[in-house]
Amino acid sequence: MKPLLSLRDLRAAFPGPDGPVEVLRGVDLDIAAGEKVALVGESGSGKSVTARAVLRLDRDADLTGRATLDGADLLTLSEREMRAVRGARIGLVFQDPLASLNPVMTIGWQIMQPLLIRGVRRKEARRRGVDLLGRLGVRDADRRFDDYPHQFSGGMRQRVVIAIAVIAEPALLIADEPTTALDVRVQAQVLTLLRELADERSMAVLLITHDLGIVAGFADRVVVMRHGAPVEEGPVDEIYAEPKHPYTRGLLASVPRIDDDPSRRLSTVDDVPAALEGGAR
């Protein structure tokens, strides 16, 4: 299947006191329309930097390689052309919904913005926003549309952020740790909503997370990153059943299991030699 998003040798370097520091070291990744892919790894492995590089959100990053969306190389587009991609073709859900929302603007105003800046009339933008908010599980959506972020719980704010990200019906949604600050019950609700939206709209989803548990029930394919580069990728069931790279095995071994011996010492990723770079694809 022809990929919707294709990354080839994507690299990112940031200025440092002793010269540029490379934090992405050759990322190759394909995502097809409607596919749900999880990008996993410990903190600092390059997951979020990959997402931000695709959208070119870090102005001081030196990006090289290719990042094509429907054949157009995002790294060569002008800033004006990229503004037409962000929100319309690629939606983004950040980790902290409260920090992602403007505290002095109503959530309705923020939900409507992706439509208003593309010429949709305010009345129609509001109608579509209220309808989407209701579908995402916010009760009395028409009234709550004019409330402010501080008037919502963490789970409800995450629904608002999702509404902002998908209201323009992007082809790709990047969800960067969308459930980290939520309890287990709300996590399941948010992931169910994302899955339903993806299936309904044939929307590709790149889920960035360090939680291997939620990947198993959400993603079609998983890409494991370490030190700024993928070390293993494949269908979720295959990777979880028979991981080939020592780092992947270390990650899976560090997750507590319900049938574990309580006296067993959990493995850590520090148990995996740092020299084991590269790996199976």
Side-chain angles (χ1 to χ4, degrees):
M1 187 180 297
K2 183 179 179 180
L4 170 71
L5 177 72
S6 180
L7 308 182
R8 288 294 178 271
D9 196 29
L10 180 63
R11 296 173 180 269
F14 290 85
D18 299 317
V21 178
E22 192 173 52
V23 295
L24 290 186
R25 302 184 301 102
V27 177
D28 293 338
L29 173 66
D30 289 333
I31 303 177
E35 188 179 22
K36 296 179 284 294
V37 177
L39 200 59
V40 305
E42 62 189 305
S43 296
S45 61
K47 306 184 301 297
S48 294
V49 177
T50 300
R52 296 179 68 85
V54 169
L55 288 165
R56 287 171 43 192
L57 296 180
D58 297 309
R59 295 182 181 274
D60 57 345
D62 179 18
L63 303 176
T64 60
R66 290 176 59 84
T68 58
L69 182 72
D70 273 340
D73 190 351
L74 301 176
L75 302 190
T76 64
L77 298 182
S78 67
E79 181 57 29
R80 181 177 180 181
E81 290 170 324
M82 277 303 300
R83 286 198 295 268
V85 171
R86 301 181 188 117
R89 299 288 293 149
I90 303 177
L92 177 62
V93 177
F94 285 106
Q95 176 176 346
D96 184 352
L98 186 58
S100 304
L101 297 169
N102 189 326
V104 300
M105 297 294 181
T106 65
I107 61 100
W109 183 90
Q110 296 179 68
I111 290 172
M112 291 191 297
Q113 286 307 298
L115 298 179
L116 295 177
I117 63 178
R118 288 168 179 85
V120 177
R121 294 183 180 274
R122 179 174 292 273
K123 184 176 180 180
E124 173 63 12
R126 182 184 177 94
R127 184 194 66 77
R128 289 165 62 176
V130 169
D131 179 66
L132 178 58
L133 203 59
R135 291 193 55 211
L136 289 174
V138 178
R139 295 181 180 178
D140 199 6
D142 188 48
R143 180 182 62 81
R144 300 301 309 274
F145 205 69
D146 297 314
D147 285 346
Y148 291 85
H150 73 271
Q151 295 174 277
F152 287 77
S153 67
M156 289 295 108
R157 283 195 291 264
Q158 193 61 285
R159 287 167 168 80
V160 172
V161 171
I162 292 172
I164 295 171
V166 304
I167 194 168
E169 300 189 359
L172 169 66
L173 177 68
I174 299 176
D176 189 357
E177 301 277 11
T179 61
T180 297
L182 307 177
D183 63 47
V184 175
R185 180 181 60 85
V186 178
Q187 279 186 7
Q189 292 174 351
V190 168
L191 290 172
T192 297
L193 292 171
L194 289 178
R195 187 183 306 110
E196 290 175 351
L197 288 169
D199 293 342
E200 175 186 309
R201 303 181 180 194
S202 294
M203 179 178 65
V205 179
L206 178 60
L207 174 67
I208 297 171
T209 183
H210 63 270
D211 190 333
L212 298 176
I214 68 174
V215 172
F218 179 84
D220 305 312
R221 191 157 51 88
V222 61
V223 178
V224 182
M225 290 192 67
R226 191 185 196 200
H227 300 319
V231 296
E232 186 168 3
E233 67 175 88
V236 172
D237 292 344
E238 293 182 11
I239 295 293
Y240 277 42
E242 194 174 350
K244 294 180 173 61
H245 195 277
Y247 179 67
T248 308
R249 293 197 292 269
L251 282 179
L252 291 171
S254 68
V255 178
R257 296 173 57 93
I258 196 169
D259 57 351
D260 264 347
D261 179 352
S263 64
R264 181 180 76 87
R265 175 185 176 273
L266 288 176
S267 299
T268 70
V269 291
D270 293 332
D271 298 333
V272 181
L276 289 172
E277 305 296 347
R281 294 287 182 90

